[in-house]
Amino acid sequence: MTIIDSHNHVGTIKKAHQSGADLVCKLDKAGVEKAVMFPFVEGDFSNEPIRDAHKEFPDRLIPYCAVNPWNDNAVDEVRRCVETYSFKGLKLHPTIGGYHLSDPKLCDPLFAVCEEYDIPIVVHGASDLYNCPPEFALMAERFPNVTLIMAHMGFFWSVDQAIRFAIQYPNLYLETSRAPIFEIQTAVREAGADKVIWGTDSPFVDYTFEFQKMSGATGDTDAYNKIVGGNIARILKL
């Protein structure tokens, strides 16, 4: 079973930096084989650092692009990243971008292109207004063939709601980055291990701790293996 971290940022912003080599070093230290990566999305951002890191570590790092739906070229950028560089997914951050995830004019075209390419969408999913769990429910229902991953699983105030929607919608998954272990245990127990995906949100965390804490997510070995790699591997067809 391959251990895969499903949430990492690579690039440089004013308050943070992480290169592909930095991330691989963290993987090696923690005993993790692979990691999904996408850009920091604060301010003006580019998918080129993700392209470059993947070229350097093609067997360790899995590239997702990120776009701001307000940009006229957002759909074209997803197409470019998938067709030219074989990117495997899309990252959205409605709170930083200033849009509702369920906005039909802004986000439906992005969901449609991801459905076309059969790639997942991971979205910042804390309890913020623009990307609270009901926003995910609307999109999961509108695009049942798109795999939608809720990063942070509704933490802090909306975890229970996130779990209920993950149970209701087969294409909606809960990703654990920044969530405490009690909430993760609850998600595994109520929604099932098939619906929970491990992520760290590096470089904003103690990487090794974020991996080690997952040993408390479940006492079942098969369930644990799904959470820390099996589920995202299945989604990405690795």
Side-chain angles (χ1 to χ4, degrees):
M1 197 280 298
T2 301
I3 299 173
I4 305 171
D5 175 3
S6 64
H7 190 136
N8 301 271
H9 300 271
V10 165
T12 300
I13 55 175
K14 287 185 177 180
K15 294 185 177 181
H17 167 78
Q18 181 162 250
S19 68
D22 293 334
L23 178 53
V24 169
C25 183
K26 292 173 182 177
L27 302 183
D28 290 341
K29 183 178 179 181
V32 175
E33 282 90 353
K34 297 178 182 287
V36 168
M37 58 171 177
F38 31 78
F40 298 100
V41 294
E42 291 82 359
D44 294 328
F45 62 89
S46 167
N47 290 299
E48 305 316 301
I50 305 304
R51 178 202 63 187
D52 294 343
H54 181 239
K55 284 183 177 179
E56 188 175 2
F57 300 100
D59 297 327
R60 306 295 301 281
L61 302 181
I62 302 166
Y64 285 21
C65 61
V67 298
N68 186 334
W70 287 107
N71 293 338
D72 290 339
N73 70 337
V75 169
D76 289 339
E77 175 65 3
V78 175
R79 290 190 182 278
R80 183 182 76 92
C81 288
V82 173
E83 293 183 2
T84 305
Y85 303 120
S86 300
F87 279 30
K88 302 299 185 184
L90 172 64
K91 165 67 185 293
L92 298 175
H93 200 310
T95 294
I96 288 178
Y99 58 90
H100 283 276
L101 177 62
S102 64
D103 187 310
K105 290 185 177 179
L106 290 179
C107 293
D108 279 17
L110 293 170
F111 273 69
V113 74
C114 288
E115 181 175 8
E116 177 185 341
Y117 289 119
D118 192 22
I119 60 173
I121 304 175
V122 59
V123 184
H124 176 81
S127 53
D128 311 7
L129 174 64
Y130 285 141
N131 40 235
C132 59
E135 295 282 319
F136 283 81
L138 288 168
M139 297 307 286
E141 183 170 354
R142 197 180 300 165
F143 290 91
N145 296 320
V146 174
T147 297
L148 181 56
I149 300 171
M150 186 190 303
H152 319 305
M153 47 185 285
F155 187 72
F156 183 76
W157 304 110
S158 303
V159 173
D160 290 345
Q161 192 177 55
I163 292 171
R164 289 198 300 273
F165 286 134
I167 294 169
Q168 182 176 353
Y169 295 101
N171 57 324
L172 180 58
Y173 293 80
L174 304 176
E175 187 250 276
T176 68
S177 59
R178 302 296 189 100
I181 194 62
F182 176 81
E183 281 73 13
I184 296 170
Q185 291 169 341
T186 304
V188 174
R189 183 173 64 252
E190 296 185 3
D194 289 329
K195 300 304 292 286
V196 180
I197 296 171
W198 172 57
T200 62
D201 201 9
S202 77
F204 302 112
V205 295
D206 180 316
Y207 194 93
T208 299
F209 172 79
E210 286 299 311
F211 177 54
Q212 291 176 344
K213 84 175 184 183
M214 296 307 296
S215 64
T218 175
D220 181 88
T221 300
D222 289 340
Y224 173 81
N225 289 341
K226 291 178 180 180
I227 295 165
V228 299
N231 290 334
I232 192 65
R234 171 173 48 82
I235 289 168
L236 295 175
K237 302 177 179 64
L238 299 180

